[in-house]
Amino acid sequence: MTGIALLLPITLSTMAIVLLAPVLPGILAEFSGVPGHEYWVPMILTIPALCIALLSTFAGLLGDVFGRRRLLMASFVIYAAVGVAPVFLRGLWAILISRVGVGIAEALIMVLSTTMIGDTFQGRARDKWLAAQTAFASLSALLFFNIGGQLGSFGWRTPFWVYLSALLMLALVLVYTREPKSDVPHGQAAKIHAHASSAGWAGFPWARMLLILAITVYGAIFFYTVQIQASSGLAVLGVTNPARAGFLTSIASIGVPLGTFAYSRIGRWPVQRLLTIEFALLAVGFLLMGRANTAGTFMVGCFVNQLGAGLLLPTLLVWAMSLLAYEVRGRGAGMWQSAFALGQFLSPVIVTLAATHVGGVLNAFVVFSCGAVVGLVVLLLCASKIARMGDVDGASLLANLHG
């Protein structure tokens, strides 16, 4: 139950976007008289993700300084309050401000729940729960899309009531978790904590984390391409019905939880081997999508791509968390979340630029296949260095910090 209590909050970031997607046309119609509404209204969906990209590192730092659990519980209250606010607000600008509040709370919830998983569990148990975040977020997207559509039939404001579910998560965290403590023996913990407190960022594994963050941004761009652009590719191939396109995309997205399940079986393989397999799957998937002549072939490519994406994200998250001592784990988890959200934000922008210059979205997928191959080649060239970094676990980092 502790694992479940810390796993459920990951769905709140998915809910912030997916729950409202079906009612976006209704919101656009409501505020059609506002100048520039066609740009401002979609930001109701995207502002929280931008807040995660900008604020997650700071959120993690707050968790390191003030503790994880109490701050997490306060974040649930804020999320519920500002999340349900658009039910009562009448102005577009007031709603946008409330969505900034959702983004701030979301950044805290995402980082602190991930950090507490790293604090609470060790070894294979930690890997399992961290990897489950990716699968759980993907599966919850299917649920929230349907909930949003059903509730949207009662008006575009109705889905916002679902934000009160954060209070249920607050209750689970209150009952089934406790404030984490340092994950080293008591005698060493006091010395290391004193060192970390006095040194600030001095004990942070900058070189290793920067490499992981760079790969995370790069990989997140690929991860969200299928989820955002699959319907555009299907439209080129003749599938123009939104319901059918959504159904086909959801079927292909099952590759993400399947990839996560595969990671639970092979996650102890060397990091460089896992990354090589993952970028190869991404490249093959994009190539099949870009060269597809039928919707069936296109969906096979999407599935292969999402299988690689489902493997990639837990690989990077577990790798990052294994490097971080308790005293700096919050800020490290925050930096990883920022990198992931930045890739999410950049993905549609880069696809649009590529499609504009190479003659359409299908050709853009071929460009992305080449980009995944470039990533694969770089990983192979840096394999020995990545292997050395992958061998460094949390215990080794703590020993270095103590020294």
Side-chain angles (χ1 to χ4, degrees), residues 21-356:
V23 298
L24 183 60
I27 305 176
L28 284 166
E30 175 77 15
F31 296 106
S32 58
V34 177
H37 73 282
E38 65 274 17
Y39 298 104
W40 291 111
V41 169
M43 291 181 69
I44 292 175
L45 275 67
T46 57
I47 277 181
L50 184 59
C51 289
I52 292 176
L54 296 176
L55 301 175
S56 288
T57 301
F58 181 67
L61 183 58
L62 289 177
D64 287 339
V65 174
F66 297 107
R68 336 290 204 207
R69 186 170 177 267
R70 285 180 296 178
L71 192 56
L72 177 60
M73 291 191 293
S75 301
F76 285 131
V77 176
I78 297 171
Y79 185 95
V82 295
V84 78
V87 173
F88 310 100
L89 298 173
R90 291 294 176 263
L92 176 58
W93 308 119
I95 292 175
L96 285 171
I97 292 172
S98 76
R99 299 299 287 174
V100 173
V102 168
I104 294 171
E106 211 173 276
L108 287 163
I109 291 169
M110 293 281 289
V111 173
L112 295 173
S113 59
T114 300
T115 304
M116 285 185 67
I117 290 175
D119 293 336
T120 304
F121 300 100
Q122 303 294 326
R124 288 187 178 275
R126 176 190 289 177
D127 296 355
K128 178 187 73 174
W129 288 109
L130 289 174
Q133 286 188 324
T134 304
F136 209 69
S138 299
L139 292 174
S140 68
L142 304 179
L143 174 65
F144 286 130
F145 188 86
N146 286 286
I147 290 176
Q150 294 297 323
L151 293 179
S153 62
F154 299 99
W156 66 265
R157 296 182 188 273
T158 308
F160 287 95
W161 284 107
V162 181
Y163 282 81
L164 293 177
S165 62
L167 298 179
L168 173 61
M169 300 180 193
L170 166 62
L172 290 173
V173 169
L174 179 65
V175 173
Y176 291 108
T177 70
R178 56 184 176 81
E179 186 67 45
K181 297 181 181 180
S182 181
D183 45 10
V184 292
H186 180 73
Q188 281 190 338
K191 297 177 183 178
I192 294 174
H193 179 73
H195 176 83
S197 299
S198 62
W201 290 86
F204 194 81
W206 282 108
R208 290 171 290 230
M209 278 300 297
L210 288 175
L211 174 63
I212 296 173
L213 296 177
I215 299 174
T216 299
V217 173
Y218 200 64
I221 292 171
F222 295 143
F223 180 88
Y224 277 103
T225 300
V226 168
Q227 300 186 23
I228 296 173
Q229 306 294 338
S231 58
S232 299
L234 287 169
V236 174
L237 296 171
V239 181
T240 56
N241 182 280
R244 179 167 172 74
F247 173 75
L248 291 174
T249 303
S250 65
I251 294 299
S253 296
I254 294 175
V256 174
L258 287 179
T260 303
F261 176 78
Y263 177 84
S264 69
R265 296 294 183 266
I266 64 174
R268 291 289 171 170
W269 287 5
V271 172
Q272 75 275 17
R273 185 189 305 172
L274 290 170
L275 291 174
T276 300
I277 293 171
E278 291 151 7
F279 273 89
L281 288 170
L282 290 172
V284 171
F286 278 129
L287 185 61
L288 289 173
M289 291 164 61
R291 294 304 186 197
N293 294 316
T294 66
T297 305
F298 183 83
M299 296 316 298
V300 170
C302 288
F303 178 81
V304 173
N305 180 283
Q306 293 293 272
L307 189 64
L311 279 164
L312 178 63
L313 259 65
T315 298
L316 295 172
L317 179 56
V318 171
W319 186 16
M321 296 298 283
S322 71
L323 298 177
L324 299 167
Y326 172 84
E327 288 74 18
V328 296
R329 187 172 292 140
R331 67 198 78 178
M335 293 172 71
W336 189 89
Q337 293 286 0
S338 290
F340 181 63
L342 178 60
Q344 176 185 3
F345 181 77
L346 291 175
S347 180
V349 177
I350 295 176
V351 172
T352 301
L353 288 174
T356 302

